[in-house]
Amino acid sequence: QVQLAESGGGLVQAGGSLRLSCEASGRTVERPAMGWFRQAPGKERELVATISWSGDSTYYGDSVKGRFTISRDNTKNTVFLQMNSLKPEDTAVYYCAASRYSLATTAPAYYEHWGQGTQVTVSS
């Protein structure tokens, strides 16, 4: 069983930056693509970004393109989400997830392991 632990969330003013981290532990013999999702109160969970196992393929949701960057360090079983130019509408709980596939995938159904989430709050 894979465990995912997010960190780095917090309160930031609009225009600021945060860097989220997600460390995988446990049975990490798989080679999963990783994704970041977010869910705001009253809204559905949405994909923020995903990255393939090799790191050479990434995908971003339209609302974060050009502002967020996903990366990974497989030697440390860790994936990162650098968030710049944050907006109040970025406020949400951010979840890290591990896919059952190595290629970057966008649908939540393809992700079989999820973290507990970390709160990101952007004040105006």
Side-chain angles (χ1 to χ4, degrees):
Q1 185 70 14
V2 175
Q3 291 83 43
L4 302 175
E6 303 98 335
S7 62
L11 174 64
V12 64
Q13 289 187 333
S17 298
L18 283 174
R19 189 190 196 208
L20 305 184
S21 299
C22 172
E23 182 176 1
S25 60
R27 183 171 172 263
T28 57
V29 295
E30 297 91 349
R31 306 175 73 179
M34 298 294 292
W36 285 98
F37 293 79
R38 67 186 183 186
Q39 187 166 20
K43 296 187 177 180
E44 294 186 355
R45 187 171 296 189
E46 66 170 338
L47 174 72
V48 176
T50 181
I51 186 168
S52 62
W53 165 255
S54 64
D56 61 359
S57 178
T58 58
Y59 175 88
Y60 296 91
D62 289 340
S63 61
V64 306
K65 284 180 181 177
R67 300 188 298 123
F68 291 10
T69 302
I70 189 171
S71 61
R72 66 189 298 161
D73 182 346
N74 289 339
T75 66
K76 298 180 180 179
N77 294 321
T78 301
V79 64
F80 305 97
L81 184 68
Q82 178 66 44
M83 305 186 295
N84 298 329
S85 302
L86 283 161
K87 304 175 181 179
E89 51 263 44
D90 293 318
T91 295
V93 177
Y94 284 69
Y95 298 91
C96 171
S99 173
R100 64 175 66 106
Y101 305 113
S102 296
L103 298 178
T105 51
T106 60
Y110 291 139
Y111 290 82
E112 57 183 358
H113 303 292
W114 293 81
Q116 294 299 307
T118 186
Q119 176 71 45
V120 172
T121 303
V122 184
S123 62
S124 57

